[in-house]
Amino acid sequence: MIDDDKNPVNIYKGGVVLSERLADKLRVKTGDYLTMESPYMRDKDKKESVRVISTVKQNVGINGYMDIEYLSAVLGYSPAANSVLLRAKPNTAAVLKDIYEESPKITGINDTNEMIEKLKKFMGSFMGSMYYVALIAIVMGVAIIYNSYVIILSERKRELSSLMVLGMSEKEVLSIVTFEQWFIAIFAMLFGIPLSQSAVTAMGKSASTDMFSLAVKLDLNSLIIAFVVTIIAIVLAQVMASRKIKHLNIVDALKSNE
């Protein structure tokens, strides 16, 4: 048995291995004890105390795992199994379904590859919606930064015009405004790291079900992409806003009575 990170998981006698989501739902951790009861026990009224020997990362399903001999001892029966895992050639599951479809002893045959393909299709549609939301966020970011530039230029119109009268070029005047914007943007991006982690965690929990859960890890590549996209949005907004400085009417701005 391996976990989602391809690490081997040892299932020892005398306890149960829980998926992390199931452990969270039961509010238990490694070393805690669970009171187990089951309609499959020989003594239906019996309750067994089972130790949690470890938890395992599992994004698909919400399961617990026990050694088959230990489970049989807990249930009060000799070792038995109610499912079999087979490694077979492609399309074997379809052949087996045709053969054993009417069998009274086999309740169902599942194809892991088919389940994986369905999950990939679902994740593809989900990621498509995420890319759409990201595109809208980029457009909104450019619009917000551009509007902030326009507001700053409007509020400081007389001040910037005075600097141009004193001999500063349009490029030098623009550098004053852009420096202020970059100063704010750097701290905003740094503050965005924990905020993004919180947002990703909240989205992962809201989208997770008993069938699957979404990984909420915010890796370095995602942060780099976010920084690059933000920088491009800021530069694009600055280029668009720089045209406003070229259209400053110095004479009209200096007619003010201030």
Side-chain angles (χ1 to χ4, degrees):
M1 177 179 173
I2 58 175
D3 61 12
D4 285 356
D5 295 327
K6 308 300 182 182
N7 299 316
V9 179
N10 296 318
I11 303 178
Y12 303 103
K13 293 183 179 180
V16 60
V17 176
L18 302 179
S19 64
E20 291 181 351
R21 279 181 54 77
L22 180 57
D24 290 340
K25 284 182 173 292
L26 297 177
R27 298 180 181 179
V28 294
K29 60 183 182 299
T30 301
D32 291 346
Y33 283 84
L34 297 174
T35 300
M36 177 179 172
E37 53 183 329
S38 171
Y40 298 105
M41 285 183 173
R42 185 181 294 274
D43 182 359
K44 299 295 189 298
D45 297 327
K46 181 181 178 182
K47 294 183 179 180
E48 187 77 19
S49 180
V50 180
R51 181 173 176 268
V52 179
I53 55 178
S54 67
T55 59
V56 59
K57 182 179 179 182
Q58 181 181 358
N59 290 330
V60 178
I62 178 169
N63 304 315
Y65 303 92
M66 298 175 66
D67 178 82
I68 189 169
E69 293 183 358
Y70 176 65
L71 176 61
S72 300
V74 171
L75 295 178
Y77 295 98
S78 59
N82 61 0
S83 64
V84 178
L85 301 178
L86 300 177
R87 177 179 292 179
K89 296 180 180 179
N91 302 322
T92 302
V95 177
L96 293 176
K97 286 181 181 179
D98 293 336
I99 297 174
Y100 297 104
E101 184 176 5
E102 303 299 331
S103 174
K105 297 183 179 180
I106 298 178
T107 58
I109 298 176
N110 297 321
D111 187 353
T112 303
N113 292 328
E114 183 179 346
M115 296 174 61
I116 292 175
E117 288 301 321
K118 290 181 179 179
L119 183 60
K120 286 182 177 179
K121 185 179 294 186
F122 172 80
M123 292 302 299
S125 61
F126 179 79
M127 292 305 298
S129 63
M130 289 294 99
Y131 289 138
Y132 179 72
V133 172
L135 179 61
I136 294 177
I138 293 172
V139 174
M140 290 181 61
V142 174
I144 292 172
I145 297 172
Y146 173 75
N147 287 333
S148 68
Y149 267 99
V150 173
I151 293 173
I152 291 174
L153 293 177
S154 299
E155 292 179 345
R156 302 172 62 181
K157 187 175 182 180
R158 188 174 188 279
E159 176 186 343
L160 298 176
S161 299
S162 300
L163 294 175
M164 294 178 67
V165 170
L166 294 175
M168 294 185 68
S169 64
E170 296 176 355
K171 185 176 180 180
E172 291 172 333
V173 172
L174 178 63
S175 65
I176 297 175
V177 180
T178 55
F179 174 79
E180 296 175 357
Q181 290 293 317
W182 279 114
F183 183 80
I184 297 173
I186 291 173
F187 285 99
M189 287 188 286
L190 293 176
F191 177 74
I193 295 176
L195 188 62
S196 299
Q197 180 63 58
S198 301
V200 169
T201 302
M203 290 177 62
K205 289 183 178 180
S206 63
S208 297
T209 64
D210 289 344
M211 288 296 297
F212 69 92
S213 60
L214 297 180
V216 295
K217 182 180 180 181
L218 190 64
D219 56 13
L220 182 60
N221 290 335
S222 299
L223 292 175
I224 293 175
I225 293 173
F227 278 126
V228 171
V229 172
T230 303
I231 291 172
I232 293 175
I234 294 174
V235 172
L236 183 60
Q238 288 177 350
V239 172
M240 295 170 61
S242 63
R243 301 175 183 176
K244 295 291 183 179
I245 294 181
K246 297 179 181 179
H247 295 87
L248 283 177
N249 192 324
I250 301 176
V251 177
D252 291 343
L254 295 178
K255 287 181 180 180
S256 174
N257 294 326
E258 295 180 9

